Amino acid sequence: MSITRRDFVRGGVSAFTVSFAAPAFLSDLARAQGRTRRNLVVLYLSGGNDALSTLIPYNDPQYYARRPTIAIPAASVLQVGSDKAGNALGLHPRLGGLRSIYNAGRLAIIQRTGYLNSSRSHFAGTDIWSTADPRTPQGTGWLGRYLDTLPSPVDPLTAWATTREVPRTLQARTVGVPAIPSVTGYAFASPNGGVDAQYARDSATRIASHVPVDQPHLAFVNATAHGAFATLDRVAKVTSYVSTVTYPGDGFAQALRTIAGAMVKDVGTKVFWVQTGGYDTHSAQNPNAANGAYSNLMNTLNGGLSAFYSDLLNQGLLGDTLVLQFSEFGRRITENGSQGTDHGAASVMLALGGGVRGGIYGMAPNLRIAPDNPTLENNGADVHYETDFRSVYARVIDAWLGADSTSVLGADFRVGAPAFL
Amino acid sequence: MQSVPVPGRGRRGAELIEHLLRRAGFGATPDELNAYVDLGFTGTVSDLIDYEQVPDAVDSLIGKPGYAAITPRGGFLPAQNITDARQRWVFRMVHSGRPLQEKMTLFWHNHFATAYSKVAGAFGSTEGARYMAAKPSEDPNRVEGQIELLRRHALGNFRDLLVAVAKDTAMLVWLDGRTNVKGRPQENFARELMELFTMGVDTFAEADVYAGARVFTGWNLTRPSNAYYTFSYVASQHDTTAKEFTFPVYADGGKTIPARTAGAGQQDGLDLIAAVARHPATGPRLARKLYDFFISEVGRRDETLIAELAAVYYDSDFEMKPVLRHLLMSPQFADTSNRYARYSWPAEFVARALKEVGWTGFSVNDTLTPMSSMGQQLFEPPDVAGWEPGPGWFSTGGMLARMNFAASLATNQKFNLRTLARDSAKSPESLLAFLLDRLTAPSFAPESRRALLDYARAGGSWTGSESQVTTKAAGLVHLIVGSGDYQIV
């Protein structure tokens, strides 16, 4: 098991709690700090996405040889042209909405993203992508460190995780991030009505204001409660959001709808986190069957992102929005005996939004097993990375968030970064 | 300034036993606490660990008056319906006479984290609930669901538990062992056996994952009489060649599982399980998890105790009872600096709140959605690593869910609380003192107690009328149970 958040909190709790409990909580604060209306939405596909089923090298005979039952027929893929090396590529047949966004020039597909000596562990891999530190994947996340660069006091709604837990990517040293999976449930209830409910809230808020530095665990819990009190009235505004399109009913699409609502209601959030799971497709991956596991994953991804894109376009917010997708690793090239794929190495990243320079970045792997094939690793079992994921992060930090990637990432990853922004 | 009441404690030694019951159980009602105080600390530890002496009667109490209610939908079918299985488990946490057995079952459920949804996705919802939660006594084919298996082995031998889990139907679905066959090995179970169940990350190589996958080829499922799925070793699907590891598999240091005939090949898996149970990283890793669960999540772990627990684990040939006995009887367990040094899991929080606040007229069904919002839906851990305990439970949304559960429980118990508190409600101070004692929270800081007292006093002068006691007792229970202080156990 990987490093837990506890180890982090053991070290960093006091600075964190003091800031989460900081008294200034107006969205004006964030604007006054010189922000634009730019938003970043980080999308995590949990479980390790099989990049070769998302973006299919449909002219590579080795792809069909090594995946006798789960390869997607060339005739089914949604062609998106070729990469610079001339490898013909197509999206999964369920990604029709993404193909339209690609055709509109607003989807970047970054192939073979990863890092040297890729971890095949879900947990170590996720921590590495979250911290952007393959050697010591502990402590704060890369976007948490970005939040730490903002002038203090930082508005407590600057970031918003739509999950029940705050992911490591958003864990900061001095900034608390709220986890708000549902805006309707994000309210303070009371056993008594009327004025007594207000007395109760006043009292609970005072109790939550107690953040004793000599009791870091209590300080952490109280600061979290305080963060809830500091954000719930603004979050409540999002409940009245009326979207311009109908989103699918699944949790992923509904989370994106909430994010669109938060943007339209201008609650002040700059960084959102959304995730969708089920990508650990060890068996019955079934990317071809209409209701196969991987088809359903792609359908969910496509449905949510397409609705979100259209909604933001209609709201005039697309130009302010960047969606950045990642997963903790790609999967083995050769299918296993269960019509699935085991843990592998490099994967694919997607970037989508009004400021994105659409297109295909990087070169597809050559799937032929040979000692001199530099696009594979692990004796040809896995795809070797071409683009260090940290150079993608660097581009986002520098070109979108307007911060300094070398300080946030602790090193210079700007050279060779794909120019998708 | 008027003095702020400080919670008092009744009987000598009660605080240590309260601490023991919060950690090795789910808290205690005042009656339960009295009974355990009569046993004394050592007697209570024995009662908790040697739980076979206590009748396993909790399920027979379901639906009886005097206990928390359940909400049946048609029939109450915990072996066929996962919601009913969840209700039954919460009921057991609240009412079991063997609290440590339930606590360890929860620990193993997190350790061998298996999600109902994948099993149900494979075989349908009725079968999914069956392989997660059926008791042999209630199943036509005597199927034992995973949670019953974990309960049966709650304080048994860890190596035996690993073998049972490797053959468990739900696990064979969850980590895809059912499709692991010769020539097409499936790595999922072998990897997590080493990374999550025993040795831990960075203690093995990719080559060990490949070899481990081949070891378990043929550990599949069969379906006798088309009636149920159960483990079957399929000799024809077993890879009979030798498997080489980077760590010792055998006591003599040998790293290679020899080539065996297909008929004898099941021994490969038993050899590997014995090896990973014996691996030098496994004892300390289990010890650290137990330390966090029972002793403290604050500050540095006491490495002396970790080493002692690991030594007991190896010396006792992986028996868990001696490990738990050593842990609970250790000076570190009793050390007052380790009181209120853990972040309660949602299941712990909910069960303890029911025990301390009351349950008459409350259905455990009404804990399920709140627990989900707090981040813990039983039988549905987020991934193979289980939940992330500790501060990981405490997001703003999760904390609101805890406060709101406190509100709904206090609302439900309004009239019971009035009855309980009536004699102690001469003043806001005495009402607060009574409730703080009953709810076993740590002593709040003076400013927090002041905030509670100000709430009790707010809204007019104290008359002690029925309606005032009703309002303020429920209101205070909400604030105390929903406070940050109460979340720390």
Side-chain angles (χ1 to χ4, degrees), chain A residues 1-7 9-10 13 20 46 65-66 68-69 118-124 163-166 168 171 177-181 185-193 195-208 210-212 214-229 231-232 280-284 329 331-332 334-344 378-379 381-382, chain B residues 118 173 175-176 178-181 184-188 191-192 195-196 200-202 206 209-210 285 291-292 296-301 339-343 369 371-376 382-401 403-404 406-408 410-411 414 444-445 447-455 458-460 470-472 474-475 478-480 482-488:
Chain A
M1 184 47 205
S2 59
I3 311 309
T4 65
R5 189 175 163 201
R6 189 249 332 276
D7 296 313
V9 170
R10 277 181 167 160
V13 70
F20 210 162
S46 80
R66 298 181 68 175
T69 71
S118 182
S119 173
R120 269 78 169 172
S121 157
H122 291 295
F123 316 102
T163 41
R164 291 208 172 98
E165 285 180 27
V166 179
R168 185 180 288 282
Q171 285 172 19
V177 172
I180 310 169
Y186 201 76
F188 182 75
S190 176
N192 302 303
V195 67
D196 198 78
Q198 187 56 48
Y199 298 147
R201 182 164 169 177
D202 292 346
S203 176
T205 307
R206 281 170 60 191
I207 294 169
H210 177 59
V211 284
D214 58 333
Q215 292 174 277
H217 52 314
L218 179 58
F220 179 78
V221 173
N222 277 346
T224 305
H226 204 282
F229 287 120
T231 50
L232 54 82
D280 195 17
T281 50
H282 283 278
S283 64
F329 46 65
R331 305 192 76 84
R332 292 260 139 86
T334 302
E335 69 180 58
N336 63 24
S338 326
Q339 290 82 51
T341 47
D342 294 318
H343 302 181
N378 193 13
N379 300 317
D382 300 323
Chain B
K118 181 162 174 176
V173 176
L175 292 183
D176 302 304
R178 67 187 174 124
T179 59
N180 187 13
V181 293
R184 284 303 193 58
Q186 224 301 342
E187 297 166 12
N188 207 0
R191 177 186 298 280
E192 305 308 6
E195 179 179 328
L196 297 175
V201 74
D202 295 335
E206 281 296 290
V209 176
Y210 301 148
R285 185 161 173 273
Y291 185 95
D292 291 354
S296 172
E297 294 179 307
V298 180
R300 281 168 198 263
R301 295 189 188 95
R339 302 247 175 105
Y340 300 110
R342 281 186 62 247
Y343 302 82
T369 303
M371 281 177 69
S372 207
S373 303
M374 296 170 208
Q376 187 168 42
D383 55 47
V384 285
W387 290 280
E388 189 182 312
W393 297 118
F394 289 92
S395 62
T396 54
M399 190 61 206
L400 271 174
M403 291 191 252
N404 291 343
S408 78
T411 306
K414 242 180 191 180
F444 284 82
E447 55 266 46
S448 301
R449 283 206 301 279
R450 173 66 59 187
L452 289 168
L453 196 54
D454 285 350
Y455 163 78
T470 310
T471 299
K472 293 301 184 182
H478 167 222
L479 291 173
I480 295 167
S483 70
D485 304 69
Y486 192 85
Q487 313 313 313
I488 308 291

Side-chain angles (χ1 to χ4, degrees), chain A residues 86-396:
Chain A
N87 301 300
L89 296 163
L91 291 170
H92 187 279
R94 291 299 185 85
L95 296 179
L98 286 186
R99 209 249 301 249
S100 301
I101 298 170
Y102 179 86
N103 287 342
R106 292 292 172 247
L107 175 68
I109 304 169
I110 311 167
Q111 304 191 81
R112 284 172 58 208
T113 42
Y115 52 97
L116 197 60
N117 299 322
S118 182
S119 173
R120 269 78 169 172
S121 157
H122 291 295
F123 316 102
T126 305
D127 283 345
I128 287 167
W129 281 80
S130 302
T131 58
D133 187 349
R135 266 183 303 186
T136 48
Q138 300 164 27
T140 54
W142 69 281
L143 283 170
R145 295 196 296 274
Y146 159 71
L147 295 173
D148 281 333
T149 67
L150 299 175
S152 183
V154 176
D155 178 88
L157 256 187
T158 301
W160 174 331
T162 65
T163 41
R164 291 208 172 98
E165 285 180 27
V166 179
R168 185 180 288 282
T169 298
L170 290 179
Q171 285 172 19
R173 197 174 56 78
T174 61
V175 179
V177 172
I180 310 169
S182 148
V183 289
T184 50
Y186 201 76
F188 182 75
S190 176
N192 302 303
V195 67
D196 198 78
Q198 187 56 48
Y199 298 147
R201 182 164 169 177
D202 292 346
S203 176
T205 307
R206 281 170 60 191
I207 294 169
S209 308
H210 177 59
V211 284
V213 287
D214 58 333
Q215 292 174 277
H217 52 314
L218 179 58
F220 179 78
V221 173
N222 277 346
T224 305
H226 204 282
F229 287 120
T231 50
L232 54 82
D233 292 334
R234 262 188 289 159
V235 170
K237 292 201 296 184
V238 180
T239 55
S240 64
Y241 177 58
V242 180
S243 56
T244 63
V245 299
T246 303
Y247 286 73
D250 60 82
F252 168 63
Q254 290 300 310
L256 288 171
R257 185 184 177 282
T258 297
I259 291 171
M263 292 176 180
V264 172
K265 299 286 182 182
D266 199 18
V267 301
T269 304
K270 300 176 73 154
V271 178
F272 296 93
W273 172 273
V274 62
Q275 73 184 60
T276 175
Y279 282 85
D280 195 17
T281 50
H282 283 278
S283 64
Q285 190 166 334
N286 237 342
N288 292 307
N291 265 322
Y294 199 82
S295 301
N296 287 337
L297 294 173
M298 291 293 99
N299 204 45
T300 300
L301 183 68
N302 186 67
L305 286 177
S306 302
F308 187 60
Y309 180 89
S310 302
D311 198 14
L312 294 185
L313 188 65
N314 297 338
Q315 298 280 12
L317 287 168
L318 188 64
D320 294 324
T321 303
L322 170 65
V323 179
L324 181 70
Q325 171 269 317
F326 79 99
S327 190
E328 67 264 38
F329 46 65
R331 305 192 76 84
R332 292 260 139 86
I333 299 166
T334 302
E335 69 180 58
N336 63 24
S338 326
Q339 290 82 51
T341 47
D342 294 318
H343 302 181
S347 190
V348 64
M349 294 178 83
L350 302 176
L352 177 164
V356 167
R357 284 190 207 105
I360 298 171
Y361 295 82
M363 281 195 307
N366 173 348
L367 301 181
R368 183 179 49 86
I369 298 174
D372 59 348
N373 179 353
T375 69
L376 303 187
E377 64 183 56
N378 193 13
N379 300 317
D382 300 323
V383 175
H384 188 64
Y385 83 105
E386 176 189 17
T387 298
D388 191 307
F389 72 103
R390 291 167 292 182
S391 71
V392 178
Y393 289 177
R395 196 84 192 176
V396 171

Side-chain angles (χ1 to χ4, degrees), chain B residues 234-252:
Chain B
V234 183
S236 62
Q237 292 296 356
H238 183 70
D239 179 334
T240 55
T241 57
K243 291 102 185 167
E244 198 177 330
F245 288 84
T246 65
F247 54 84
V249 176
Y250 297 105
D252 66 2

Side-chain angles (χ1 to χ4, degrees), chain B residues 275-346:
Chain B
V276 297
R278 192 193 303 121
H279 191 280
T282 298
R285 185 161 173 273
L286 269 181
R288 284 192 292 272
K289 276 188 100 162
L290 291 167
Y291 185 95
D292 291 354
F293 195 59
F294 287 103
I295 304 255
S296 172
E297 294 179 307
V298 180
R300 281 168 198 263
R301 295 189 188 95
D302 184 325
E303 291 301 328
T304 312
L305 183 57
I306 301 289
E308 288 170 14
L309 293 172
V312 173
Y313 167 83
Y314 294 116
D315 290 348
S316 70
D317 257 336
F318 326 120
E319 290 293 337
M320 296 308 297
K321 276 192 179 184
V323 175
L324 261 288
R325 204 180 307 274
H326 189 92
L327 185 154
L328 296 177
M329 295 303 293
S330 69
Q332 290 90 337
F333 182 81
D335 189 329
T336 52
S337 71
N338 286 329
R339 302 247 175 105
Y340 300 110
R342 281 186 62 247
Y343 302 82
S344 61
W345 295 19

Side-chain angles (χ1 to χ4, degrees), chain A residues 16-65:
Chain A
F16 163 79
T17 48
V18 169
S19 154
F20 210 162
F25 297 123
L26 300 169
S27 54
D28 296 348
L29 180 65
R31 275 196 293 280
Q33 289 171 352
R35 72 184 277 263
T36 65
R37 287 171 60 95
R38 276 185 179 176
N39 297 292
L40 170 63
V41 180
V42 179
L43 163 56
Y44 167 45
L45 306 182
S46 80
N49 179 32
D50 182 30
L52 290 171
S53 293
T54 312
L55 184 68
I56 297 114
Y58 62 88
N59 272 349
D60 186 339
Q62 285 297 313
Y63 169 71
Y64 294 97

Side-chain angles (χ1 to χ4, degrees), chain B residues 66-78:
Chain B
Y67 300 92
I70 48 101
T71 303
R73 296 161 181 72
F76 180 67
L77 301 169

